[in-house]
Amino acid sequence: MTSRRAEVLAALRAAGDGGVSGEALAGRLGISRVAVGKHVSALRTLGYVVDARPGSGYRFVSAPDLPLPEEVAPLLRGGSRLDLRGGGETGSTNDDAKRLAVGGAAAGTVVLAARQTAGRGRLGRGWESPAGGVYASWVARPAIAVHQAPPLALAAALGVARGLRGLGADPVLKWPNDVLQGGGKLAGVLLEVSAEADGLEWAVVGVGVNVSRAGSAVPGAAYLSDRLDPTPRLAAVAAAVLDGVTSAVSECARKGFGVLRDEYAAALALVGSEVVVRDLNGTVIASGDARGVDESGRLIVKGSEGPVAVVAGEVTLRD
Ligand code: BT5
């Protein structure tokens, strides 16, 4: 985040309706009046409305409904120490975050976007990312072995649900890492990792949340605006989701998925239902009563030949 720009914004906000002169701002921040003017122009380019009156100075009017670092950072709970970037349009926040991770970016670096032109889902699938959503990717560097990484994606989905519940929504989870609302997909999680022999080098946890149909509506998608009135602002959604995801994933990395198992199972849809689990080719790998998850996040399906623990697959209701 450009900290000077954030400081100018904070000072403008603090001045309220009375406004503040360019000279006073410059003096307080230890920069020139020209520099103040440049930061105000940059804020306007981002969508902030700032009045300027000769003689009386600048007056903050409104902030854009975008997940900009300046908007998200003040809403994060104290515990989240994150370095937020982006907030406008990009190709894929996961690609951006991976590039930063490879370049040595610290754990806690986050790339935010209001739109993506090349959003990615799992297994080569796409993630439609029009305006009206929040797209965020977080660089983590957990001290774990590579075989301990897959449950982080389940933890991330749980974290998204935690965060969205804090906004008043009531999402459920679909194993392994979908977040649903009223049968539609509200959010998705894409975990990508890089490992060395002695453990994980970095993990990028990407989350896409559908907030409103401001852009083109996605078939099969659910939107927070279907349940929440007024629709929460994108920055509030981003902060809630980042708080939820960073806390749940960090817990999972430190203590193992087992500590989240009960909370995950309680939010899991289809428990007690007859399900079919298929692999990528559509071959049935398990069929029976969905019982929940085990200590490592595997789905337990009790079929005619006893319980099976499923590592990966697509779950549907059995007709
Ligand atoms: C996911 O994949 O659910 C993971 C999505 C992760 C997206 C985030 S956004 C920020 C970060 N940057 C990225 O580039 N990606 C991450 P998967 O389980 O494979 O689901 C993909 C499927 O969901 C698609 O094939 C569509 O059927 C459906 N889909 C696509 N866009 C959707 C949307 N906006 N809402 C609901 N469903 C969607």
Side-chain angles (χ1 to χ4, degrees):
M1 191 197 317
T2 321
S3 60
R4 277 292 179 215
R5 193 175 74 201
E7 281 171 24
V8 170
L9 177 62
L12 285 169
R13 276 200 159 116
D17 280 345
V20 56
S21 73
E23 199 176 344
L25 265 182
R28 201 176 313 156
L29 301 176
I31 55 178
S32 69
R33 283 178 65 175
V34 174
V36 168
K38 282 190 179 148
H39 287 303
V40 170
S41 299
L43 288 168
R44 287 187 178 133
T45 306
L46 291 170
Y48 288 90
V49 179
V50 181
D51 275 354
R53 292 209 202 95
S56 62
Y58 298 109
R59 190 176 64 93
F60 176 85
V61 179
S62 64
D65 185 15
L66 292 173
L68 294 167
E70 286 87 343
E71 297 300 303
V72 178
L75 303 177
L76 290 170
R77 283 201 310 251
S80 313
R81 279 189 305 278
L82 302 176
D83 174 7
L84 307 178
R85 324 258 178 109
E89 180 177 299
T90 191
S92 154
T93 56
N94 257 50
D95 291 347
D96 295 344
K98 275 163 62 176
R99 214 173 299 121
L100 290 167
V102 168
T109 304
V110 172
V111 181
L112 296 157
R115 285 180 305 280
Q116 296 182 122
T117 52
R120 294 191 289 109
R122 296 175 302 146
L123 308 164
R125 293 189 286 250
W127 184 256
E128 292 190 42
S129 311
V134 166
Y135 312 99
S137 299
W138 167 51
V139 177
R141 295 187 183 276
I144 57 172
V146 68
H147 73 269
Q148 294 168 302
L152 299 183
L154 280 74
L158 177 62
V160 173
R162 265 188 198 172
L164 297 180
R165 246 181 256 128
L167 296 174
D170 191 20
V172 295
L173 300 176
K174 178 172 176 242
W175 187 87
N177 49 19
D178 284 349
V179 181
L180 308 183
Q181 172 187 275
K185 188 154 162 174
L186 182 61
V189 170
L190 175 62
L191 171 74
E192 297 184 281
V193 302
S194 168
E196 289 180 341
D198 56 350
L200 229 59
E201 196 190 350
W202 49 257
V204 166
V205 184
V207 178
V209 184
N210 301 318
V211 180
S212 76
R213 294 180 176 77
S216 50
V218 178
Y223 293 82
L224 280 177
S225 59
D226 295 340
R227 292 289 167 86
L228 300 181
D229 185 15
T231 303
R233 287 172 65 84
L234 299 179
V237 175
V241 164
L242 284 172
D243 279 334
V245 169
T246 53
S247 65
V249 171
S250 303
E251 259 172 81
C252 183
R254 273 199 320 272
K255 301 178 191 158
F257 180 78
V259 296
L260 300 173
R261 179 184 170 184
D262 288 348
E263 188 187 345
Y264 182 92
L268 196 57
L270 301 181
V271 171
S273 306
E274 292 289 312
V275 300
V276 178
V277 190
R278 293 186 172 82
D279 69 11
L280 270 182
N281 305 314
T283 308
V284 174
I285 47 180
S287 171
D289 187 15
R291 288 288 170 90
V293 288
D294 70 9
E295 292 287 306
S296 31
R298 296 179 299 183
L299 183 71
I300 308 298
V301 179
K302 185 163 182 307
S304 49
E305 281 154 34
V308 183
V310 183
V311 180
E314 206 67 53
V315 184
T316 50
L317 273 178
R318 191 155 75 186
D319 330 300

